[in-house]
Amino acid sequence: MDNAITVSLISPNVVRTHVGRERRSSFAVVKEGESGGEGPIVAVAENTVSARFSDTEERVSYEASGERIVIRGELGPFDKVYGLGEKALPLNRKRHRVIMWNTDAYGYATGTDPLYVSIPFFIVLRNGRAVGHFVDSPAYMSIDLGQTDFGEFTVVVDDESVDHYIIYGPSIKDVLRSYFELTGRPFLPPKWALGNQQSRYSYYPETNLLAIVDRYRRDGLPLSAVYLDIHYMDGYKIFTWDRKRFPDPKSLIDKLHEAGIRVVTIIDPGVKTSPTYPVFRSGIDGNYFCLRRNGDLFTSRVWPGLCAFPDFARDDVRNWWSSLVADFVKDGIDGVWLDMNEPAGFDYKDHTVSDDDLMHVVDGRQVPHARIHNAYALLEAEATYEGMLKARPGKRPFILSRAGYAGIHRYAAIWTGDNTSSWEHLRLQIPILLGLSLSGVPFVGADVGGFAKNTKQGRFYLDPELLIRWYEVAIFTPLLRNHTSIDSPDQEPWAWGSAYEGIIRGLLKLREELMPYIYSLAWGSHELGEPIIRPLVYEFQDDDNVHEIDDEFMLGPYVLLTPALERGSTVRRAYLPKCKWLDVRMGSEVEGGAVTTIDVPLGNPPVLVREGGVVPMMRESLIALIYPGNGEFTIYEDDGESMGEPSKLTIRQELKGSVSRIEVGKRGPDSFNTWVTLSIYTKNKPKRFLIDGSPAQYSARGSFIEATVKPGSAVELELGD
Ligand code: GLC
């Protein structure tokens, strides 16, 4: 019985093996659909399953022994392994052994494992073909990727049953798409959540917060949202306000809204065990908290002192929580920041709750915490999302979560927790964010400037060079938020005077210019399941040279970033994938397929656009930067916060010989009517320039020519020699 293996064909590319005791409901998988029909040829022999897809075969063996399940698969000498969520490791996880156990990893360093988020989903790239493995259990798990045995991966799950999905590509893109079919689509963020955001532990009283906002405005720095960290609460009691520091939250929020600024408040899961505190009392009355095995209330110390923990695994508890959230945000709070949700508990090793005595109730049955630890934050995020929807029907919720499990992308963005102000971390954040992106979490970011003390030096270390370099990376990542610890020196953009502030202003303005591109990518992640930032291997899987690159990244399909990551650098070396690239700063072309030296002057980061690229931007009006070649991009437009359908405009280009044809969408019920200025790179004056078949005017700007056209137009040009 314990060893039972049940194999099901989920779709032509997805095979599921259930191992161990009877199946439980999954927190991650939302759609299963057993398709039967066409698919791989699956053979089961004793405890081994082999699935033969069109051009590759996966053989996996299983062992189940009551409390533990072991899954083994092959790993070839040249295989690469990606994914596994938030890991402070190189992009290629091969030869590492990682742990799935959400942990409060304050001040982590390169190699620290585990961190806050656990996603037991990895992609093996072998001979150009990608195959995903998703081991759906929120229990403690170790995954050895050829560290102990070079030719094998071994997954050990401390659980009595597990579903293992084999997801055939052959491209990484295909694997991710199938993974999203199982686990649901990424949430659609409101547009403001892609703007520049400012945070600190903590801005209070409200006059200090308003002074920050005022300074942003006076200094002409773009700002979309501010965050309130734990000091806005009364004694850190969640769903309360400290009325001395914030006497009238509603009118404060109204004032900020009038200035176009959104407000995000932190909410931790722990509820202070105070008999006079209504949230605690209602939790006790409803029996909503986790209990010990003997029926006593489970408690641990967190910021407010001794806390009880909602049992988010239960539907009634999630309903209760979502009502609390709905009631709290109804005065205008725009987003909820979920912290300490591993869950953290100060009475435990690594400040992370881990207790054999702590119980949850899942599907009416008592389950020890260790079995569902990694899903705690996911379930909390789900309830929070529902709460925001309840309070603001039809409006997109925004949630930023520290911990998570597979499926967290349906509800929340992830930031990489308490990183440090150090060059090491600037470098490290890129593989962490790319790893999350390849694990199905598209909306990610890191605290700009770093949060905690530099662990090596034991003190805060940030200077203007590091902060600017940090912005040079972060303006191209989905979440752009400056945040720092309680005892650190200030690190707002103006902290080092006006010259440096001016540089940061330029970078924040560049981010604003790119908003149509970034916002469309966020829509694309929601609709099509594509990451927003991507490692090079996602876009250039056939180019072996890029498989391990994690100090460069792509923003969407067309923009390549090769940031400066070392102190004092003026140039850096970067491999450019095999195609032509347009260095937008220089207005010149670079041939890819080789390592190139790139200038990295402070404040003017290299931006390379791929051949065939279409990159919409907002200057005085909508512009599409076009680098002739073959490609297309869909621009999404809407009010930025409702759930309705967007209007779209697809710009498609084709290059045949020296003739480039650009089609600017079609008029239709869901397409928009904004005119677009095409800004087309042409080394020399074009020999011919036609709009809808007739010779037309254009203006020249450096190595670009520009013409403004209405949707539905077609432009044809013959490039000069
Ligand atoms: C945790 C969070 C950090 C926050 C602090 C206080 O350390 O990771 O972002 O500022 O708690 O709430």
Side-chain angles (χ1 to χ4, degrees), residues 456-487:
K456 282 204 190 91
Q457 290 160 317
R459 61 185 171 89
F460 284 100
Y461 183 77
L462 185 63
D463 66 9
E465 183 188 356
L466 177 55
L467 181 64
I468 288 169
R469 292 306 196 192
W470 211 304
Y471 272 111
E472 287 179 8
V473 173
I475 57 166
F476 301 109
T477 64
L479 177 77
L480 170 60
R481 184 186 75 147
N482 179 322
H483 178 56
T484 188
S485 189
I486 187 164
D487 45 354

PDB file of all heavy atoms in Angstrom, residues 456-487:
ATOM      1  N   LYS A 456      29.816  40.527   6.235  1.00  0.00           N
ATOM      2  CA  LYS A 456      31.269  40.380   6.397  1.00  0.00           C
ATOM      3  C   LYS A 456      31.833  41.479   7.287  1.00  0.00           C
ATOM      4  O   LYS A 456      32.659  41.250   8.135  1.00  0.00           O
ATOM      5  CB  LYS A 456      31.955  40.415   5.037  1.00  0.00           C
ATOM      6  CG  LYS A 456      31.800  39.089   4.318  1.00  0.00           C
ATOM      7  CD  LYS A 456      32.897  38.865   3.297  1.00  0.00           C
ATOM      8  CE  LYS A 456      32.547  37.652   2.456  1.00  0.00           C
ATOM      9  NZ  LYS A 456      31.782  37.986   1.250  1.00  0.00           N
ATOM     10  N   GLN A 457      31.359  42.705   7.043  1.00  0.00           N
ATOM     11  CA  GLN A 457      31.934  43.818   7.806  1.00  0.00           C
ATOM     12  C   GLN A 457      31.191  44.079   9.112  1.00  0.00           C
ATOM     13  O   GLN A 457      31.641  44.865   9.925  1.00  0.00           O
ATOM     14  CB  GLN A 457      31.929  45.074   6.945  1.00  0.00           C
ATOM     15  CG  GLN A 457      32.942  44.979   5.815  1.00  0.00           C
ATOM     16  CD  GLN A 457      32.613  45.948   4.702  1.00  0.00           C
ATOM     17  OE1 GLN A 457      31.469  46.093   4.317  1.00  0.00           O
ATOM     18  NE2 GLN A 457      33.630  46.610   4.191  1.00  0.00           N
ATOM     19  N   GLY A 458      30.020  43.450   9.271  1.00  0.00           N
ATOM     20  CA  GLY A 458      29.270  43.621  10.499  1.00  0.00           C
ATOM     21  C   GLY A 458      28.734  45.032  10.686  1.00  0.00           C
ATOM     22  O   GLY A 458      28.445  45.462  11.796  1.00  0.00           O
ATOM     23  N   ARG A 459      28.655  45.799   9.609  1.00  0.00           N
ATOM     24  CA  ARG A 459      28.071  47.137   9.724  1.00  0.00           C
ATOM     25  C   ARG A 459      27.349  47.450   8.428  1.00  0.00           C
ATOM     26  O   ARG A 459      27.504  46.749   7.430  1.00  0.00           O
ATOM     27  CB  ARG A 459      29.151  48.173  10.015  1.00  0.00           C
ATOM     28  CG  ARG A 459      30.197  48.277   8.923  1.00  0.00           C
ATOM     29  CD  ARG A 459      31.308  49.223   9.338  1.00  0.00           C
ATOM     30  NE  ARG A 459      32.410  49.157   8.397  1.00  0.00           N
ATOM     31  CZ  ARG A 459      32.506  49.907   7.299  1.00  0.00           C
ATOM     32  NH1 ARG A 459      31.566  50.761   6.994  1.00  0.00           N
ATOM     33  NH2 ARG A 459      33.538  49.779   6.497  1.00  0.00           N
ATOM     34  N   PHE A 460      26.571  48.526   8.485  1.00  0.00           N
ATOM     35  CA  PHE A 460      25.885  48.929   7.262  1.00  0.00           C
ATOM     36  C   PHE A 460      26.904  49.493   6.306  1.00  0.00           C
ATOM     37  O   PHE A 460      27.777  50.253   6.695  1.00  0.00           O
ATOM     38  CB  PHE A 460      24.821  49.982   7.574  1.00  0.00           C
ATOM     39  CG  PHE A 460      23.633  49.351   8.200  1.00  0.00           C
ATOM     40  CD1 PHE A 460      23.450  49.391   9.566  1.00  0.00           C
ATOM     41  CD2 PHE A 460      22.722  48.660   7.420  1.00  0.00           C
ATOM     42  CE1 PHE A 460      22.361  48.773  10.149  1.00  0.00           C
ATOM     43  CE2 PHE A 460      21.628  48.039   7.997  1.00  0.00           C
ATOM     44  CZ  PHE A 460      21.450  48.104   9.363  1.00  0.00           C
ATOM     45  N   TYR A 461      26.803  49.068   5.086  1.00  0.00           N
ATOM     46  CA  TYR A 461      27.716  49.638   4.132  1.00  0.00           C
ATOM     47  C   TYR A 461      27.006  49.937   2.822  1.00  0.00           C
ATOM     48  O   TYR A 461      26.640  49.047   2.077  1.00  0.00           O
ATOM     49  CB  TYR A 461      28.918  48.722   3.863  1.00  0.00           C
ATOM     50  CG  TYR A 461      29.801  49.474   2.936  1.00  0.00           C
ATOM     51  CD1 TYR A 461      30.598  50.486   3.433  1.00  0.00           C
ATOM     52  CD2 TYR A 461      29.689  49.326   1.566  1.00  0.00           C
ATOM     53  CE1 TYR A 461      31.298  51.302   2.580  1.00  0.00           C
ATOM     54  CE2 TYR A 461      30.390  50.142   0.713  1.00  0.00           C
ATOM     55  CZ  TYR A 461      31.193  51.130   1.232  1.00  0.00           C
ATOM     56  OH  TYR A 461      31.863  51.953   0.403  1.00  0.00           O
ATOM     57  N   LEU A 462      26.779  51.192   2.596  1.00  0.00           N
ATOM     58  CA  LEU A 462      26.207  51.567   1.312  1.00  0.00           C
ATOM     59  C   LEU A 462      26.872  52.874   0.952  1.00  0.00           C
ATOM     60  O   LEU A 462      27.121  53.713   1.814  1.00  0.00           O
ATOM     61  CB  LEU A 462      24.691  51.759   1.461  1.00  0.00           C
ATOM     62  CG  LEU A 462      23.909  52.043   0.175  1.00  0.00           C
ATOM     63  CD1 LEU A 462      24.003  50.889  -0.800  1.00  0.00           C
ATOM     64  CD2 LEU A 462      22.433  52.295   0.496  1.00  0.00           C
ATOM     65  N   ASP A 463      27.214  53.036  -0.298  1.00  0.00           N
ATOM     66  CA  ASP A 463      27.705  54.335  -0.736  1.00  0.00           C
ATOM     67  C   ASP A 463      26.977  54.670  -2.036  1.00  0.00           C
ATOM     68  O   ASP A 463      26.249  53.840  -2.578  1.00  0.00           O
ATOM     69  CB  ASP A 463      29.234  54.340  -0.865  1.00  0.00           C
ATOM     70  CG  ASP A 463      29.729  53.427  -1.970  1.00  0.00           C
ATOM     71  OD1 ASP A 463      28.888  52.923  -2.755  1.00  0.00           O
ATOM     72  OD2 ASP A 463      30.941  53.206  -2.062  1.00  0.00           O
ATOM     73  N   PRO A 464      27.149  55.907  -2.531  1.00  0.00           N
ATOM     74  CA  PRO A 464      26.348  56.282  -3.696  1.00  0.00           C
ATOM     75  C   PRO A 464      26.616  55.410  -4.914  1.00  0.00           C
ATOM     76  O   PRO A 464      25.703  55.120  -5.680  1.00  0.00           O
ATOM     77  CB  PRO A 464      26.751  57.738  -3.946  1.00  0.00           C
ATOM     78  CG  PRO A 464      27.905  58.032  -3.072  1.00  0.00           C
ATOM     79  CD  PRO A 464      27.916  57.031  -1.981  1.00  0.00           C
ATOM     80  N   GLU A 465      27.846  54.961  -5.053  1.00  0.00           N
ATOM     81  CA  GLU A 465      28.145  54.133  -6.227  1.00  0.00           C
ATOM     82  C   GLU A 465      27.322  52.840  -6.187  1.00  0.00           C
ATOM     83  O   GLU A 465      26.675  52.461  -7.171  1.00  0.00           O
ATOM     84  CB  GLU A 465      29.641  53.798  -6.279  1.00  0.00           C
ATOM     85  CG  GLU A 465      30.005  53.002  -7.533  1.00  0.00           C
ATOM     86  CD  GLU A 465      31.436  52.468  -7.540  1.00  0.00           C
ATOM     87  OE1 GLU A 465      32.203  52.760  -6.599  1.00  0.00           O
ATOM     88  OE2 GLU A 465      31.766  51.748  -8.502  1.00  0.00           O
ATOM     89  N   LEU A 466      27.325  52.178  -5.021  1.00  0.00           N
ATOM     90  CA  LEU A 466      26.575  50.923  -4.911  1.00  0.00           C
ATOM     91  C   LEU A 466      25.070  51.173  -5.081  1.00  0.00           C
ATOM     92  O   LEU A 466      24.378  50.415  -5.773  1.00  0.00           O
ATOM     93  CB  LEU A 466      26.880  50.244  -3.566  1.00  0.00           C
ATOM     94  CG  LEU A 466      26.119  48.954  -3.261  1.00  0.00           C
ATOM     95  CD1 LEU A 466      26.300  47.914  -4.366  1.00  0.00           C
ATOM     96  CD2 LEU A 466      26.572  48.357  -1.923  1.00  0.00           C
ATOM     97  N   LEU A 467      24.580  52.242  -4.486  1.00  0.00           N
ATOM     98  CA  LEU A 467      23.142  52.516  -4.615  1.00  0.00           C
ATOM     99  C   LEU A 467      22.770  52.764  -6.083  1.00  0.00           C
ATOM    100  O   LEU A 467      21.768  52.236  -6.582  1.00  0.00           O
ATOM    101  CB  LEU A 467      22.751  53.723  -3.746  1.00  0.00           C
ATOM    102  CG  LEU A 467      21.259  54.070  -3.784  1.00  0.00           C
ATOM    103  CD1 LEU A 467      20.403  52.949  -3.199  1.00  0.00           C
ATOM    104  CD2 LEU A 467      20.962  55.375  -3.044  1.00  0.00           C
ATOM    105  N   ILE A 468      23.591  53.529  -6.776  1.00  0.00           N
ATOM    106  CA  ILE A 468      23.277  53.821  -8.187  1.00  0.00           C
ATOM    107  C   ILE A 468      23.358  52.538  -9.018  1.00  0.00           C
ATOM    108  O   ILE A 468      22.486  52.253  -9.836  1.00  0.00           O
ATOM    109  CB  ILE A 468      24.220  54.916  -8.726  1.00  0.00           C
ATOM    110  CG1 ILE A 468      23.829  56.258  -8.091  1.00  0.00           C
ATOM    111  CG2 ILE A 468      24.159  55.002 -10.248  1.00  0.00           C
ATOM    112  CD1 ILE A 468      24.815  57.376  -8.319  1.00  0.00           C
ATOM    113  N   ARG A 469      24.400  51.754  -8.780  1.00  0.00           N
ATOM    114  CA  ARG A 469      24.513  50.483  -9.526  1.00  0.00           C
ATOM    115  C   ARG A 469      23.290  49.610  -9.246  1.00  0.00           C
ATOM    116  O   ARG A 469      22.802  48.890 -10.095  1.00  0.00           O
ATOM    117  CB  ARG A 469      25.790  49.741  -9.144  1.00  0.00           C
ATOM    118  CG  ARG A 469      27.079  50.413  -9.598  1.00  0.00           C
ATOM    119  CD  ARG A 469      27.082  50.706 -11.078  1.00  0.00           C
ATOM    120  NE  ARG A 469      28.423  50.990 -11.601  1.00  0.00           N
ATOM    121  CZ  ARG A 469      28.649  51.496 -12.801  1.00  0.00           C
ATOM    122  NH1 ARG A 469      27.637  51.802 -13.597  1.00  0.00           N
ATOM    123  NH2 ARG A 469      29.872  51.711 -13.220  1.00  0.00           N
ATOM    124  N   TRP A 470      22.802  49.690  -8.010  1.00  0.00           N
ATOM    125  CA  TRP A 470      21.645  48.877  -7.639  1.00  0.00           C
ATOM    126  C   TRP A 470      20.419  49.331  -8.430  1.00  0.00           C
ATOM    127  O   TRP A 470      19.674  48.518  -8.981  1.00  0.00           O
ATOM    128  CB  TRP A 470      21.388  48.953  -6.133  1.00  0.00           C
ATOM    129  CG  TRP A 470      20.790  47.696  -5.612  1.00  0.00           C
ATOM    130  CD1 TRP A 470      19.638  47.105  -6.061  1.00  0.00           C
ATOM    131  CD2 TRP A 470      21.299  46.854  -4.578  1.00  0.00           C
ATOM    132  NE1 TRP A 470      19.389  45.955  -5.355  1.00  0.00           N
ATOM    133  CE2 TRP A 470      20.393  45.769  -4.448  1.00  0.00           C
ATOM    134  CE3 TRP A 470      22.411  46.907  -3.742  1.00  0.00           C
ATOM    135  CZ2 TRP A 470      20.587  44.758  -3.507  1.00  0.00           C
ATOM    136  CZ3 TRP A 470      22.584  45.890  -2.813  1.00  0.00           C
ATOM    137  CH2 TRP A 470      21.690  44.832  -2.705  1.00  0.00           C
ATOM    138  N   TYR A 471      20.229  50.651  -8.486  1.00  0.00           N
ATOM    139  CA  TYR A 471      19.109  51.156  -9.289  1.00  0.00           C
ATOM    140  C   TYR A 471      19.283  50.764 -10.767  1.00  0.00           C
ATOM    141  O   TYR A 471      18.303  50.511 -11.460  1.00  0.00           O
ATOM    142  CB  TYR A 471      18.991  52.681  -9.165  1.00  0.00           C
ATOM    143  CG  TYR A 471      18.129  53.133  -8.004  1.00  0.00           C
ATOM    144  CD1 TYR A 471      18.689  53.769  -6.902  1.00  0.00           C
ATOM    145  CD2 TYR A 471      16.752  52.918  -8.009  1.00  0.00           C
ATOM    146  CE1 TYR A 471      17.904  54.175  -5.826  1.00  0.00           C
ATOM    147  CE2 TYR A 471      15.958  53.322  -6.940  1.00  0.00           C
ATOM    148  CZ  TYR A 471      16.536  53.953  -5.852  1.00  0.00           C
ATOM    149  OH  TYR A 471      15.745  54.346  -4.805  1.00  0.00           O
ATOM    150  N   GLU A 472      20.516  50.727 -11.229  1.00  0.00           N
ATOM    151  CA  GLU A 472      20.741  50.391 -12.640  1.00  0.00           C
ATOM    152  C   GLU A 472      20.253  48.967 -12.957  1.00  0.00           C
ATOM    153  O   GLU A 472      19.926  48.658 -14.095  1.00  0.00           O
ATOM    154  CB  GLU A 472      22.226  50.526 -12.993  1.00  0.00           C
ATOM    155  CG  GLU A 472      22.675  51.974 -13.075  1.00  0.00           C
ATOM    156  CD  GLU A 472      24.153  52.128 -13.404  1.00  0.00           C
ATOM    157  OE1 GLU A 472      24.825  51.122 -13.714  1.00  0.00           O
ATOM    158  OE2 GLU A 472      24.634  53.270 -13.343  1.00  0.00           O
ATOM    159  N   VAL A 473      20.244  48.105 -11.956  1.00  0.00           N
ATOM    160  CA  VAL A 473      19.682  46.759 -12.151  1.00  0.00           C
ATOM    161  C   VAL A 473      18.174  46.795 -11.893  1.00  0.00           C
ATOM    162  O   VAL A 473      17.365  46.327 -12.693  1.00  0.00           O
ATOM    163  CB  VAL A 473      20.352  45.734 -11.198  1.00  0.00           C
ATOM    164  CG1 VAL A 473      19.651  44.386 -11.283  1.00  0.00           C
ATOM    165  CG2 VAL A 473      21.832  45.581 -11.531  1.00  0.00           C
ATOM    166  N   ALA A 474      17.791  47.405 -10.777  1.00  0.00           N
ATOM    167  CA  ALA A 474      16.407  47.296 -10.293  1.00  0.00           C
ATOM    168  C   ALA A 474      15.392  47.979 -11.210  1.00  0.00           C
ATOM    169  O   ALA A 474      14.239  47.547 -11.272  1.00  0.00           O
ATOM    170  CB  ALA A 474      16.304  47.861  -8.883  1.00  0.00           C
ATOM    171  N   ILE A 475      15.812  49.025 -11.924  1.00  0.00           N
ATOM    172  CA  ILE A 475      14.818  49.666 -12.815  1.00  0.00           C
ATOM    173  C   ILE A 475      14.386  48.718 -13.934  1.00  0.00           C
ATOM    174  O   ILE A 475      13.386  48.973 -14.591  1.00  0.00           O
ATOM    175  CB  ILE A 475      15.316  51.002 -13.420  1.00  0.00           C
ATOM    176  CG1 ILE A 475      16.613  50.800 -14.181  1.00  0.00           C
ATOM    177  CG2 ILE A 475      15.441  52.085 -12.350  1.00  0.00           C
ATOM    178  CD1 ILE A 475      16.971  51.981 -15.079  1.00  0.00           C
ATOM    179  N   PHE A 476      15.115  47.640 -14.119  1.00  0.00           N
ATOM    180  CA  PHE A 476      14.726  46.669 -15.146  1.00  0.00           C
ATOM    181  C   PHE A 476      14.099  45.408 -14.538  1.00  0.00           C
ATOM    182  O   PHE A 476      13.935  44.405 -15.232  1.00  0.00           O
ATOM    183  CB  PHE A 476      15.947  46.289 -15.989  1.00  0.00           C
ATOM    184  CG  PHE A 476      16.581  47.473 -16.678  1.00  0.00           C
ATOM    185  CD1 PHE A 476      17.813  47.970 -16.263  1.00  0.00           C
ATOM    186  CD2 PHE A 476      15.930  48.107 -17.723  1.00  0.00           C
ATOM    187  CE1 PHE A 476      18.388  49.070 -16.883  1.00  0.00           C
ATOM    188  CE2 PHE A 476      16.494  49.209 -18.355  1.00  0.00           C
ATOM    189  CZ  PHE A 476      17.731  49.702 -17.929  1.00  0.00           C
ATOM    190  N   THR A 477      13.825  45.419 -13.241  1.00  0.00           N
ATOM    191  CA  THR A 477      13.167  44.261 -12.618  1.00  0.00           C
ATOM    192  C   THR A 477      11.724  44.639 -12.275  1.00  0.00           C
ATOM    193  O   THR A 477      11.417  45.820 -12.109  1.00  0.00           O
ATOM    194  CB  THR A 477      13.907  43.791 -11.338  1.00  0.00           C
ATOM    195  OG1 THR A 477      13.852  44.819 -10.344  1.00  0.00           O
ATOM    196  CG2 THR A 477      15.360  43.453 -11.627  1.00  0.00           C
ATOM    197  N   PRO A 478      10.841  43.646 -12.160  1.00  0.00           N
ATOM    198  CA  PRO A 478       9.417  43.975 -11.999  1.00  0.00           C
ATOM    199  C   PRO A 478       9.124  44.830 -10.765  1.00  0.00           C
ATOM    200  O   PRO A 478       8.451  45.846 -10.856  1.00  0.00           O
ATOM    201  CB  PRO A 478       8.752  42.596 -11.901  1.00  0.00           C
ATOM    202  CG  PRO A 478       9.691  41.671 -12.606  1.00  0.00           C
ATOM    203  CD  PRO A 478      11.067  42.206 -12.378  1.00  0.00           C
ATOM    204  N   LEU A 479       9.620  44.425  -9.608  1.00  0.00           N
ATOM    205  CA  LEU A 479       9.366  45.209  -8.392  1.00  0.00           C
ATOM    206  C   LEU A 479      10.542  46.154  -8.174  1.00  0.00           C
ATOM    207  O   LEU A 479      11.689  45.719  -8.116  1.00  0.00           O
ATOM    208  CB  LEU A 479       9.223  44.278  -7.187  1.00  0.00           C
ATOM    209  CG  LEU A 479       9.026  45.004  -5.851  1.00  0.00           C
ATOM    210  CD1 LEU A 479       7.596  45.516  -5.713  1.00  0.00           C
ATOM    211  CD2 LEU A 479       9.385  44.100  -4.676  1.00  0.00           C
ATOM    212  N   LEU A 480      10.245  47.445  -8.028  1.00  0.00           N
ATOM    213  CA  LEU A 480      11.297  48.450  -7.835  1.00  0.00           C
ATOM    214  C   LEU A 480      11.011  49.160  -6.518  1.00  0.00           C
ATOM    215  O   LEU A 480      10.172  50.059  -6.456  1.00  0.00           O
ATOM    216  CB  LEU A 480      11.271  49.424  -9.020  1.00  0.00           C
ATOM    217  CG  LEU A 480      12.136  50.681  -8.912  1.00  0.00           C
ATOM    218  CD1 LEU A 480      13.606  50.322  -8.738  1.00  0.00           C
ATOM    219  CD2 LEU A 480      11.966  51.547 -10.160  1.00  0.00           C
ATOM    220  N   ARG A 481      11.668  48.698  -5.452  1.00  0.00           N
ATOM    221  CA  ARG A 481      11.366  49.246  -4.133  1.00  0.00           C
ATOM    222  C   ARG A 481      12.647  49.420  -3.317  1.00  0.00           C
ATOM    223  O   ARG A 481      13.385  48.464  -3.084  1.00  0.00           O
ATOM    224  CB  ARG A 481      10.418  48.310  -3.370  1.00  0.00           C
ATOM    225  CG  ARG A 481       9.987  48.882  -2.026  1.00  0.00           C
ATOM    226  CD  ARG A 481       9.164  47.886  -1.227  1.00  0.00           C
ATOM    227  NE  ARG A 481       9.993  46.832  -0.660  1.00  0.00           N
ATOM    228  CZ  ARG A 481       9.749  46.228   0.500  1.00  0.00           C
ATOM    229  NH1 ARG A 481       8.680  46.556   1.214  1.00  0.00           N
ATOM    230  NH2 ARG A 481      10.540  45.271   0.935  1.00  0.00           N
ATOM    231  N   ASN A 482      12.885  50.638  -2.878  1.00  0.00           N
ATOM    232  CA  ASN A 482      13.996  50.933  -1.983  1.00  0.00           C
ATOM    233  C   ASN A 482      13.490  50.674  -0.562  1.00  0.00           C
ATOM    234  O   ASN A 482      12.472  51.223  -0.149  1.00  0.00           O
ATOM    235  CB  ASN A 482      14.382  52.400  -2.200  1.00  0.00           C
ATOM    236  CG  ASN A 482      15.520  52.879  -1.309  1.00  0.00           C
ATOM    237  OD1 ASN A 482      15.604  52.508  -0.138  1.00  0.00           O
ATOM    238  ND2 ASN A 482      16.373  53.727  -1.863  1.00  0.00           N
ATOM    239  N   HIS A 483      14.208  49.804   0.170  1.00  0.00           N
ATOM    240  CA  HIS A 483      13.778  49.474   1.533  1.00  0.00           C
ATOM    241  C   HIS A 483      15.013  49.182   2.375  1.00  0.00           C
ATOM    242  O   HIS A 483      15.990  48.638   1.873  1.00  0.00           O
ATOM    243  CB  HIS A 483      12.856  48.248   1.508  1.00  0.00           C
ATOM    244  CG  HIS A 483      12.406  47.797   2.876  1.00  0.00           C
ATOM    245  ND1 HIS A 483      11.755  48.620   3.753  1.00  0.00           N
ATOM    246  CD2 HIS A 483      12.515  46.596   3.509  1.00  0.00           C
ATOM    247  CE1 HIS A 483      11.473  47.958   4.872  1.00  0.00           C
ATOM    248  NE2 HIS A 483      11.927  46.722   4.743  1.00  0.00           N
ATOM    249  N   THR A 484      14.959  49.569   3.633  1.00  0.00           N
ATOM    250  CA  THR A 484      16.107  49.286   4.497  1.00  0.00           C
ATOM    251  C   THR A 484      15.681  49.068   5.941  1.00  0.00           C
ATOM    252  O   THR A 484      14.527  49.301   6.297  1.00  0.00           O
ATOM    253  CB  THR A 484      17.167  50.393   4.379  1.00  0.00           C
ATOM    254  OG1 THR A 484      18.338  49.981   5.076  1.00  0.00           O
ATOM    255  CG2 THR A 484      16.675  51.709   4.973  1.00  0.00           C
ATOM    256  N   SER A 485      16.639  48.649   6.721  1.00  0.00           N
ATOM    257  CA  SER A 485      16.369  48.213   8.086  1.00  0.00           C
ATOM    258  C   SER A 485      16.147  49.375   9.053  1.00  0.00           C
ATOM    259  O   SER A 485      16.344  50.539   8.711  1.00  0.00           O
ATOM    260  CB  SER A 485      17.549  47.372   8.552  1.00  0.00           C
ATOM    261  OG  SER A 485      17.239  46.781   9.774  1.00  0.00           O
ATOM    262  N   ILE A 486      15.793  49.019  10.273  1.00  0.00           N
ATOM    263  CA  ILE A 486      15.438  50.029  11.272  1.00  0.00           C
ATOM    264  C   ILE A 486      16.627  50.902  11.673  1.00  0.00           C
ATOM    265  O   ILE A 486      16.481  52.102  11.909  1.00  0.00           O
ATOM    266  CB  ILE A 486      14.820  49.345  12.520  1.00  0.00           C
ATOM    267  CG1 ILE A 486      14.287  50.372  13.513  1.00  0.00           C
ATOM    268  CG2 ILE A 486      15.787  48.406  13.204  1.00  0.00           C
ATOM    269  CD1 ILE A 486      13.352  49.777  14.546  1.00  0.00           C
ATOM    270  N   ASP A 487      17.808  50.293  11.745  1.00  0.00           N
ATOM    271  CA  ASP A 487      18.942  51.024  12.297  1.00  0.00           C
ATOM    272  C   ASP A 487      19.960  51.442  11.246  1.00  0.00           C
ATOM    273  O   ASP A 487      21.087  51.783  11.557  1.00  0.00           O
ATOM    274  CB  ASP A 487      19.617  50.166  13.379  1.00  0.00           C
ATOM    275  CG  ASP A 487      19.800  48.730  12.931  1.00  0.00           C
ATOM    276  OD1 ASP A 487      19.297  48.374  11.843  1.00  0.00           O
ATOM    277  OD2 ASP A 487      20.445  47.947  13.644  1.00  0.00           O
TER     278      ASP A 487
END
